[in-house]
Amino acid sequence: ANGTTLSVVVPALARSGAVTVLGSGTSFNLQVVPTLRGVSGDVAAGNTLLIEGTGLVSPELSVTVGGRPVGNFSVRTVFDGSGTNRDQQLLTLVVPTGAVGNVVTVSTAGGSSTLRRAAGSTDLGILPQGADPSDTLGTAVALGQLRDARAAATAVVGDGASGNRDVDFYSVVLDARSVLRVTVTPSDNYSSVRIFNAAGVEQALRYFGPNDGNPLVFSAPAAGSYYIGISGYGNVTYDPAVAGSGTGSGYTGNYQLNFEAQREGSSHLNAMTGSAGSGTAAQAALPSANTGQTLTLAGAGMTASDRVVFSTVDSNGSLGEVSVTPASFDLASQTLTVIVPNNATTGTVRLERDAVGLFLQVVPTLTDVFMYPGGGFVGNNLTLSGTGFAEAATSVRFGAQQVDDRTPNYGVDVYGSGQENSRLNLSLPATSPALPVGPIRVSTVGGTSAAYGLSLTGIVAVPASGVRTDGSAAGALPGQAITLQGSLFDASTDIVFETVDASGNRGDVVVRPNNVSADGSQAQVLVPVNAVSGTVRLVGDVNGAALHLQVVPAITDVQVESVAGDGSYANVLVAGLGFVEGSASEYRFGNLVVLDGGVNTGPDVFGRGDPFYGYVPNGYVRVTVPLSDGVFGPVSIRTAGGTSASYSVNLSSVTSTALRGTAANAGEASANAGQAIILNGT
């Protein structure tokens, strides 16, 4: 409040060095000490290890496994947290030749950290002792060195010379940063437990009541001997150097004092069994799972009250943890099963009472793809459904290309819809080469999902009129229903047709089926009115297939808009479907062909409104037709997709007799200017 202190979270990519404040001329050195949280893989020469930690600064990082230096390793910063959010870095290495033991050590300029693979917990049982343990620290019962081990002592409080001020003392030798847990049984008694250092200074205190299974937890600041005193419930002011110096307590009797010491980097868990049911893990030989899948954990010293902690990530890209009650527990075999929670992400799995654990690869799954119809493929929003997505740590793969999500606030957006991390949105960028429609997969640091299984294998389409360029290949008119063949079609399948506008610009459009067969093997879809000959694709096609469809033009009307005063040409307006600006389109009038040689020359294609199809972007073409006897015949249009049916009129006769004057040939029709005549035909 007075501006003399501030707190700041050390970022994941920080390294040991100077810390300063903007505007200050001074700085102070900070040692960034690495940490290790979890490991996957066995310590054996040639095996791959995956290790989670923080402060793993690549330029100055050194790694040893089983006492042997590791020459080649890689570090990836998966989450660089902000505020109170956790960081996550992933160290990948191969165990060197000659490695012995289970210890992994990382060191930087800021310090070092150790993790012990499969340290477990050795049960030493109830240790022998005298009838009445000493009342003072100096003559405590020595239980010896406790390293990843459990031991117990049994005696009676209140049976010595001090009476109800009786204190029983035990000593243990601990490594630096070892965690000592002390519990008291039976649980129907009241007692107090104090922990002292060698100088007799109290380090920790806890009262134990009936059915109190929670331990007194103490972390040794330095290696050495520590002393544990147990007394009646109210006797907590005694001098550990003076027998009988405390306060009398009515709560005395038999007890069992239980000790467990874990060294830094040790875990009760020593094995994890699981393999993702769908997708491929980043390291196939190491444990993996999809969310909702069951894992088996094995260890030593586990209890029926143990809960399992998973690493999680939310829709903001913030790393966290969640505790889960095991689905089953076998005390005799020291194994448990647990279901991977929906918001789990690749990271450490540990017991709630452990600081470190085992590393699990959470592999994403992909169950559906969705785009908004009416828009193009590029620039459109793609929504993927599945599990195991991770905000700011996910890539979407389109064939051999991919779109990466590297920040929480931009690019790929991961969110939940009924289940956390189950939806993913991204706007498809323009790339070179262009993104293929498939196969689509989702990748995280844990692995890559199986590709979405949709496939297009064939097109059944014959034009309702006109002639295809290739009579053996699929063809259709714009607006005509065609049948697609493949697998996994449904009402939301996204079909991409190539299109052309009035200026000859090529694009594409996403449309949905009109009907889908019950088995998903066929879908009926209307060819868009602005479709052009080209590929038909499915968004998410497992094979990335692009099948060709010939779009055949059709003529619905021909009008003469005007005729030159000298009769040399006419402007003709043709209405229909499937016209293409430029592209060497041919407009045939009788035996005369007018070629559209380019976008800015020759016939002009433009849009029109249609009472059935709505707006047709390329539904009109205006053609200047040189007039000669040969042009008065059937009208047709040829594009790359084929030739339209002819627009033809049959004139069989003219019925007319001039009202005035005498015709030169009485056997032929005649008329005066301004007189109505009758044309006969079909």
Side-chain angles (χ1 to χ4, degrees):
N2 62 2
T4 60
T5 65
L6 62 83
S7 63
V8 60
V9 175
V10 181
L13 298 179
R15 61 186 298 174
S16 298
V19 176
T20 189
V21 178
L22 185 63
S24 172
T26 59
S27 63
F28 295 89
N29 283 332
L30 175 71
Q31 300 174 89
V32 177
V33 183
T35 68
L36 298 178
R37 292 191 185 127
V39 59
S40 181
D42 295 324
V43 179
N47 282 359
T48 296
L49 297 186
L50 292 178
I51 302 171
E52 181 187 358
T54 64
L56 308 177
V57 184
S58 295
E60 62 191 48
L61 180 67
S62 64
V63 183
T64 63
V65 177
R68 303 290 296 176
V70 179
N72 295 315
F73 54 82
S74 65
V75 175
R76 175 180 175 180
T77 299
V78 185
F79 291 98
D80 188 357
S82 59
T84 58
N85 298 330
R86 294 176 58 199
D87 303 317
Q88 185 186 61
Q89 291 179 302
L90 181 58
L91 171 65
T92 305
L93 59 88
V94 175
V95 178
T97 302
V100 178
N102 62 354
V103 178
V104 178
T105 301
V106 294
S107 300
T108 66
S112 63
S113 182
T114 295
L115 191 149
R116 304 174 196 280
R117 176 71 179 91
S121 182
T122 302
D123 189 357
L124 302 177
I126 299 175
L127 301 179
Q129 64 185 50
D132 181 23
S134 169
D135 279 15
T136 62
L137 179 148
T139 56
V141 176
L143 301 181
Q145 183 99 42
L146 285 185
R147 286 177 170 164
D148 301 322
R150 310 185 306 280
T154 59
V156 179
V157 168
D159 63 341
S162 301
N164 60 9
R165 295 190 301 275
D166 183 28
V167 179
D168 291 350
F169 268 100
Y170 302 88
S171 69
V172 295
V173 179
L174 302 176
D175 291 340
R177 296 177 297 281
S178 287
V179 174
L180 177 66
R181 295 179 178 86
V182 182
T183 58
V184 180
T185 54
S187 58
D188 59 353
N189 200 3
Y190 290 86
S191 58
S192 299
V193 175
R194 300 169 73 189
I195 298 178
F196 301 88
N197 62 15
V201 178
E202 183 183 289
Q203 306 292 295
L205 163 66
R206 193 175 193 284
Y207 297 95
F208 287 88
N211 302 312
D212 186 353
N214 294 318
L216 169 60
V217 181
F218 167 67
S219 181
S225 295
Y226 292 88
Y227 299 83
I228 300 92
I230 181 171
S231 61
Y233 191 79
N235 187 11
V236 294
T237 60
Y238 58 84
D239 182 342
V242 179
S245 59
T247 302
S249 172
Y251 296 100
T252 59
N254 298 325
Y255 66 83
Q256 179 172 306
L257 199 57
N258 307 296
F259 308 90
E260 182 177 40
Q262 275 186 301
R263 287 178 291 176
E264 178 191 22
S266 294
S267 166
H268 288 91
L269 300 177
N270 54 40
M272 176 163 52
T273 304
S275 180
S278 175
T280 304
Q283 294 289 340
L286 299 180
S288 63
N290 308 124
T291 62
Q293 193 172 328
T294 299
L295 287 177
T296 299
L297 304 178
M302 295 194 296
T303 68
S305 62
D306 274 324
R307 283 162 54 85
V308 181
V309 178
F310 285 84
S311 298
T312 64
V313 62
D314 65 17
S315 59
N316 296 314
S318 299
L319 201 67
E321 291 184 321
V322 64
S323 294
V324 177
T325 300
S328 67
F329 182 72
D330 188 328
L331 186 62
S333 67
Q334 285 288 287
T335 60
L336 62 83
T337 62
V338 63
I339 297 174
V340 181
N342 293 334
N343 58 341
T345 193
T346 297
T348 297
V349 177
R350 61 180 178 86
L351 295 186
E352 204 169 42
R353 59 194 172 103
D354 285 349
V356 300
L358 303 176
F359 190 81
L360 174 68
Q361 303 171 96
V362 175
V363 181
T365 68
L366 182 56
T367 58
D368 195 19
V369 299
F370 172 90
M371 295 193 87
Y372 290 103
F377 179 67
V378 173
N380 201 341
N381 187 77
L382 174 67
T383 299
L384 304 180
S385 299
T387 64
F389 303 157
E391 177 64 53
T394 294
S395 297
V396 182
R397 297 186 178 185
F398 300 83
Q401 297 172 249
Q402 69 183 43
V403 178
D404 296 323
D405 183 25
R406 300 194 182 278
T407 64
N409 300 319
Y410 301 96
V412 178
D413 178 34
V414 174
Y415 63 101
S417 179
Q419 178 177 320
E420 199 162 3
N421 302 327
S422 63
R423 291 287 182 90
L424 179 157
N425 279 342
L426 74 155
S427 179
L428 297 187
T431 60
S432 182
L435 290 176
V437 292
I440 295 178
R441 297 178 174 88
V442 177
S443 292
T444 65
V445 67
T448 301
S449 73
Y452 188 61
L454 184 68
S455 69
L456 174 64
T457 58
I459 301 176
V460 179
V462 177
S465 66
V467 179
R468 295 166 284 182
T469 299
D470 181 355
S472 63
L477 306 184
Q480 181 181 330
I482 64 174
T483 299
L484 306 183
Q485 298 173 323
S487 61
L488 289 187
F489 293 136
D490 60 29
S492 64
T493 295
D494 302 301
I495 306 162
V496 184
F497 285 86
E498 292 192 42
T499 61
V500 66
D501 65 12
S503 299
N505 299 314
R506 300 298 179 104
D508 54 37
V509 65
V510 176
V511 300
R512 293 276 173 77
N514 286 23
N515 296 292
V516 177
S517 65
D519 62 359
S521 65
Q522 292 188 339
Q524 187 185 74
V525 62
L526 296 179
V527 179
V529 293
N530 58 338
V532 68
S533 296
T535 58
V536 177
R537 300 171 293 164
L538 303 181
V539 178
D541 192 306
V542 70
N543 301 311
L547 303 186
H548 192 74
L549 177 69
Q550 301 170 99
V551 176
V552 180
I555 299 174
T556 58
D557 188 42
V558 178
Q559 299 178 28
V560 177
E561 294 184 304
S562 63
V563 180
D566 61 1
S568 61
Y569 66 88
N571 288 321
V572 180
L573 182 65
V574 182
L577 301 166
F579 304 159
V580 181
E581 177 69 39
S583 301
S585 296
E586 294 181 357
Y587 300 88
R588 180 177 294 273
F589 297 84
N591 58 16
L592 173 71
V593 174
V594 179
L595 180 67
D596 191 358
V599 172
N600 299 314
T601 185
D604 180 32
V605 174
F606 58 102
R608 66 177 176 88
D610 186 274
F612 182 77
Y613 295 111
Y615 181 70
V616 183
N618 51 349
Y620 267 144
V621 61
R622 181 174 285 117
V623 186
T624 298
V625 182
L627 294 180
S628 64
D629 289 342
V631 305
F632 300 105
V635 179
S636 63
I637 298 175
R638 187 178 71 83
T639 65
T643 302
S644 70
S646 295
Y647 182 90
S648 60
V649 175
N650 177 37
L651 178 63
S652 60
S653 64
V654 177
T655 302
S656 178
T657 302
L659 297 177
R660 296 182 181 182
T662 302
N665 185 348
E668 293 182 357
S670 62
N672 304 122
Q675 181 182 334
I677 66 174
I678 296 174
L679 306 183
N680 302 300
T682 57

